[in-house]
Amino acid sequence: MSIGIEENKGFSVKRAAFAATIGNMLEFYDFITYSFFAIQIGHTFFPTQGEYGSLMLSLATFGAGFITRPIGGIVLGIYSDRVGRRPAMLLSFALMGSAILAISITPSYNAIGLAAPIIVVVARLMQGFALGGEVGPTTAYLLEIAPPERRALVVSWQPTSQQIAATTGALVGFILSRTMTPEALQSYGWRLAFLIGAICLPFGLWMRRTLPETVPQGESGARRIERSSHLALARRHIRLIALALMILASGTISTYVTQYMTTYAQNTLHVAPSLAFATSLVSNGLGIAGALLGGWLADLLGRKPVMIYPQLVTLALTYPIFLWIAGAPGAWSLLFGFGVLSLIGSLPFTAFYATFTEALPQQIRGGVFATVYAVAIASFGGTAQLVVTWLLHISGDPLAPAWYLLLAAVVGLLAMSLMPETAPVKVQAAAPPRSPGGANA
């Protein structure tokens, strides 16, 4: 439904989608950029006698941002269902802005001691809360402003904005690594990447304030939501929620292992920082194309084919590509190999976003999506880079990330095959014919 768009005739679907996703993009840029500079942040706030210990403490702090994501998902997701999508998106955005500014200006451990890592951990917890409440309301909003025949494409701007954020972060990192000395990058260069996001925050806040609302307001809407609690309504969709949790676990492992490739390329494959950032730049850039293509195909062909077949291809290609990269690390293998995995791997999850959102009733759409997404991200996204670092450390096998990705891909494929088809065209085509009187023939 498109309540807000209908009431505000001067506000197009394209502009509303842009205003929603620009804020989403900035929030994800601020959150993901941390992983690109995990080494430098580790040296700044968590100095230890060994490189491994410093990196693990930095990655643990990155993971701390996932602890509060389920709380943010529940609180801000339900808030978006009861009060509106726009207030929830504005609140999450303001919290994210405060956190990113704190990280970017906090002095080093050498300057203020233990207070430095404490401030950074608290800021990451705030970031996690904000981002946990971001995805559900934004995804629900995109579905609700879209015409039925273009829902998947409009919703695809949710994962696309995440890919744009990751690509932008990689591009900033690539430019900084090419133009600054390692000492300067370590000292203050990584802070510039965070400050870029902080500078853009007022623009995103202004854009979101102009969004029309899609949740029914007034007494009738309030009574309808209060009569049926979120928990009671969610219980009716427990099978769908369980499948979604499996798919999101698969997707978040894939996403955050991919984001880890900058660190993996430097620490494990021992390539230059500029090539490592270029790898993330190319793979995330192709992920943008894959996310949009997945939305377009999901509207054209249905949701399930676009979930299942690309996931099968990803499953078949993951190990050979990692074998190639580990055996011959270089520009061609890194850029092409990870680029192909990112492009194909983005297709099924765009279709899933549309499927899960369409299958949920509006009264619980923001809260359930946000909660399930945040739980999956907290459980598997926050630990993905720690697990990969640990596996690489204990095994000494550069193919360790591939085995973890393969396990995640199998789980995701199984759940995708059991998801319902929700594409309006496919659902209408599968519906039984009706008699002229209105009864089923």
Side-chain angles (χ1 to χ4, degrees):
M1 67 191 299
S2 306
I3 295 175
I5 301 298
E6 290 173 1
E7 291 175 353
N8 192 335
K9 300 297 184 181
F11 214 101
S12 69
V13 171
K14 289 183 180 179
R15 187 181 172 193
F18 175 77
T21 54
I22 191 67
N24 191 68
M25 183 187 73
L26 287 172
E27 286 205 42
F28 270 91
Y29 170 85
D30 293 337
F31 193 85
I32 292 172
T33 296
Y34 186 105
S35 68
F36 291 135
F37 295 95
I39 295 173
Q40 290 80 14
I41 292 172
H43 291 161
T44 302
F45 298 113
F46 309 99
T48 65
Q49 294 181 349
E51 182 75 22
Y52 172 71
S54 178
L55 177 59
M56 287 297 284
L57 286 172
S58 179
L59 291 175
T61 303
F62 176 73
F66 293 86
I67 295 174
T68 49
R69 285 179 77 160
I71 303 173
I74 294 170
V75 174
L76 296 181
I78 293 177
Y79 182 69
S80 78
D81 289 330
R82 293 182 181 274
V83 180
R85 310 293 184 218
R86 181 175 60 191
M89 290 191 288
L90 283 170
L91 180 55
S92 70
F93 200 75
L95 290 172
M96 179 63 77
S98 301
I100 193 63
L101 190 60
I103 292 176
S104 62
I105 65 175
T106 297
S108 68
Y109 180 91
N110 292 333
I112 62 172
L114 192 60
I118 291 175
I119 292 172
V120 172
V121 170
V122 171
R124 285 297 293 178
L125 292 173
M126 186 185 297
Q127 279 188 312
F129 182 90
L131 203 59
E134 166 69 18
V135 175
T138 304
T139 308
Y141 184 83
L142 291 171
L143 182 85
E144 289 158 3
I145 64 172
E149 70 277 6
R150 289 197 291 130
R151 280 180 186 162
L153 182 58
V154 174
V155 169
S156 73
W157 281 101
Q158 165 61 260
T160 297
S161 66
Q162 297 180 29
Q163 292 284 359
I164 292 173
T167 304
T168 304
L171 177 60
V172 170
F174 176 75
I175 293 172
L176 291 176
S177 67
R178 293 284 291 182
T179 58
M180 302 181 73
T181 65
E183 293 75 18
L185 189 65
Q186 168 64 45
S187 176
Y188 64 89
W190 66 269
R191 295 181 186 272
L192 297 178
F194 283 86
L195 286 171
I196 289 172
I199 291 170
C200 296
L201 286 168
F203 171 73
L205 193 63
W206 172 76
M207 289 292 295
R208 286 198 162 181
R209 287 179 62 86
T210 65
L211 288 173
E213 185 55 71
T214 60
V215 173
Q217 301 298 302
E219 294 184 4
S220 60
R223 283 199 302 267
R224 182 187 59 166
I225 294 173
E226 289 171 5
R227 272 203 307 267
S228 298
S229 71
H230 278 73
L231 183 59
L233 284 173
R235 284 174 179 166
R236 303 176 191 175
H237 303 272
I238 192 66
R239 181 177 180 274
L240 177 72
I241 290 172
L243 293 174
L245 188 61
M246 292 171 64
I247 295 171
L248 284 168
S250 173
T252 191
I253 289 173
S254 176
T255 296
Y256 284 98
V257 171
T258 299
Q259 302 305 334
Y260 182 73
M261 287 305 102
T262 301
T263 302
Y264 172 77
Q266 294 178 77
N267 271 17
T268 303
L269 303 181
H270 305 294
V271 303
S274 58
L275 177 57
F277 279 111
T279 300
S280 292
L281 176 61
V282 170
S283 62
N284 286 315
L286 288 173
I288 295 172
L292 289 173
L293 180 61
W296 180 74
L297 289 174
D299 282 328
L300 183 67
L301 304 175
R303 315 298 189 231
K304 291 195 71 170
V306 182
M307 284 192 287
I308 293 173
Y309 294 115
Q311 188 74 353
L312 281 170
V313 175
T314 301
L315 193 60
L317 290 179
T318 297
Y319 185 75
I321 286 178
F322 266 87
L323 191 63
W324 177 31
I325 291 169
W332 179 244
S333 60
L334 284 166
L335 297 176
F336 183 80
F338 285 131
V340 168
L341 283 180
S342 184
L343 175 65
I344 299 173
S346 298
L347 297 173
F349 295 100
T350 299
F352 161 74
Y353 271 58
T355 302
F356 188 37
T357 315
E358 284 174 321
L360 293 170
Q362 189 184 43
Q363 300 99 308
I364 62 170
R365 185 176 291 148
V368 169
F369 193 105
T371 302
V372 174
Y373 182 91
V375 168
I377 296 294
S379 302
F380 299 95
T383 59
Q385 298 187 4
L386 281 170
V387 169
V388 171
T389 302
W390 176 74
L391 288 173
L392 288 166
H393 181 70
I394 65 168
S395 69
D397 183 3
L399 297 176
W403 297 114
Y404 196 41
L405 286 172
L406 285 171
L407 176 63
V410 169
V411 172
L413 179 63
L414 175 64
M416 288 172 184
S417 66
L418 298 174
M419 286 290 284
E421 177 60 79
T422 60
V425 174
K426 292 284 184 178
V427 171
Q428 292 170 8
R434 300 181 67 86
S435 67
N440 290 343

